[in-house]
Amino acid sequence: MKLVLENITKVFPNRNKGEEDVVAVNNFSFEIPDGKLVGLLGPSGCGKSTTLYMICGLQKPSGGKIFFGEEDVTNLPPEHRGVGLVFQNYALYPHMTVRQNILYPLQNLKGDDKLSKEEMLKRTLEVAKLVQIDNLLDRKPSELSGGQQQRVAIARALVKMPRVLLLDEPLSNLDARLRLQTREEIRRIQKETGITTVFVTHDQEEAMSISDMIVVMKLGIVQQIGQPQRVYDDPANLFVAKFLGTPPINVLKGEVRGGMLFIGEEAILPVKGVADQPVTVGIRPEGFVLDERGPLHCQLSGVEVMGRDVSVVATHEASLNPVIRSIISAESGVDTTAQEIRYSLKPHKVLLFHAETEERIPVEV
Amino acid sequence: MVDSKQQWKAWIYLAPAIVLLLVFTVWPIINTVIMAFQNDYNAMAAVGGQTFTIGIENFKRAVEYRNFLTCLKNTALLCVITVPASTLLALLISAALNSIGPLKKALTTVFFLPYVTNSIAIGMVFAAMFNMVRTVRVVQTAGIINNVIMFFGGEPINWINAGSTYWANMTVMIIYIIWNALPFKILILLGGMQSINKQYYDAAKVDGSSRSRILWRITVPLLSPMIAYVVITGFIGGFKEYTSIVGVFGETMGPVSDKGRLNTMVGYIYDTLPRSDYGRASAAALILFGIILVVTLINLWVSKKRVHY
């Protein structure tokens, strides 16, 4: 089922009269192709959850339209939309067993959709098998681990075969290991069922790892939409660049003079087709190459060993962050006793942004 | 833990409460037991220096006394009818209050009024409302209830006055007790409802539940600890029913034509006071205690099965 958002806006009136209303989501348009997994990504308060609740029908948009396929569902209540929603803390009914929890949405079906008891139990068992909890059906939610509860919540959302599956911060309540495992799980279930899925997260790694597409939001405004790798490599502005990637992108003050990028007084890189101007330079941690004759001089402050790679922590006076962090292969042999470290940079890992608007400045290749 | 050298301080701080409890709660309870097991104990005789043999004579007398079964029947009937009815009503009212916006506070106050009003005063108002005096076939004065009945062309009912029937009396008492029991139950249940995580309701909405289904399948089970609490305290309160009857009927505990017809267990205990027959009163008090204990244990046993978490 294709999911279309057309100029969706949500305004919450301010509690204090006379003060400005809060625009949670501002003019959001987006078309999610059938069967795709889309991550809504942004810091807290960016309107991603509000968007999800509007798709779900628990909140009404102040403006704009929502379509499932060709059907306009903007004014439909949630129960008639055919959506499944997985809540951040699962919201499993604590007094019901796992089986009853999954059965519950089916028991609510009325009229032509009404199922026989056998059919309901059959569907419950099917979906329980899909999320691999068929051995836990007689337990109460309180007797399950976080990951198991998560699966039950997904089963409950899937059992009535929704047109759209929505997940609100699905992994935020799980520990690090379970998170990795569960996100693979979500991807597998989504692939197997082929249901168009939207999930909300503030964790960029989570969004990038399993989404077909990501939507980066900030203060109710969509910043960029695209395939995860494309957005990472080619961010539209400094916010997106900063938000994606761990460790985060290094940001330095720089200047373009005569087609050459300067950081401080050091000529770093030729940048074709960029007018002379002060710029903000973003360098991905993996964009640094140890080079004794490299143009970028940094003061070495420490090396963190991470096994396969080492993370070199250095400082530079033009840096807008406290430190510059680079990821370097452990085999390259960093001299940890040195005062100074010199880098050359991989050109495609160096991104230029307008110093004031923070919009991306394209560089000709 | 308090340092053992400092413990005497703790005892001093606790002393006022402990002394009061010992004098006015603990000792009377012990004394009740002692009096109950002294055959034919009488307060006046005891003051006069008489001693009594130990035995269960008081319990026999209490049970055999002509009024005992009436009192027990009235008390049990009122409990069995009013506790479930008021709990159900309180549940529906709380659910309604919880789902409305603007008038919620005003209405909550209205429902809470009986709680802060003197029960004798309420009883007198009820007596006035259900009043009716007639001579031969002419109604002389009538309370608002009969006025309403007559307005709609009905025959006025003798609710509480001389010559009224037992069930007319009981109907008035049941209405009174249910109405009087509502505020506390609404207070507890509404508080419980407000503490239920809103996400369950969002989830239920997405799952397509109707409102009544949400109430019975989600709200009630999640409220079950509070419901058990109001039912148990309701039964305990119900078995102690007394002031409500006095409020409506006065000390006659029934219409003047049939005094004592609506008497309750607590009323039965008080009745012996003018006679200084503390032995029988104590025995009756212990019997009432036993009944409340058994009912509460049954309640707890049932709620263990029905209270969900």
Side-chain angles (χ1 to χ4, degrees), chain A residues 56 58 79 83 87 89 92-95 104-105 107-108 156 160, chain B residues 199-200 202-209 213 217-218 221-222 308:
Chain A
C56 171
L58 286 172
E79 61 267 30
V83 291
F87 288 85
N89 39 15
L92 297 176
Y93 308 121
H95 54 287
Y104 187 72
Q107 290 166 339
N108 289 328
R156 186 178 67 181
K160 56 182 177 179
Chain B
Q199 285 212 328
Y200 294 130
D202 282 345
K205 234 188 264 171
V206 177
D207 289 342
S209 308
R213 225 181 140 74
R217 291 287 308 268
I218 311 287
L222 290 176
H308 289 288

Side-chain angles (χ1 to χ4, degrees), chain B residues 58-97:
Chain B
N58 290 326
F59 291 90
K60 274 189 194 159
R61 284 198 300 126
V63 177
E64 283 165 1
Y65 192 68
R66 59 185 161 81
N67 236 344
F68 180 80
L69 283 180
T70 313
C71 295
L72 190 62
K73 185 186 86 178
N74 287 337
T75 311
L77 266 179
L78 286 176
C79 269
V80 170
I81 296 170
T82 61
V83 173
S86 65
T87 306
L88 185 69
L89 213 58
L91 188 69
L92 296 175
I93 292 172
S94 316
L97 280 176

Side-chain angles (χ1 to χ4, degrees), chain B residues 184-205:
Chain B
F184 177 71
K185 294 189 166 83
I186 291 175
L187 187 74
I188 300 290
L189 295 179
L190 189 60
M193 279 181 194
Q194 282 164 347
S195 67
I196 293 176
N197 192 336
K198 296 275 174 295
Q199 285 212 328
Y200 294 130
Y201 294 112
D202 282 345
K205 234 188 264 171

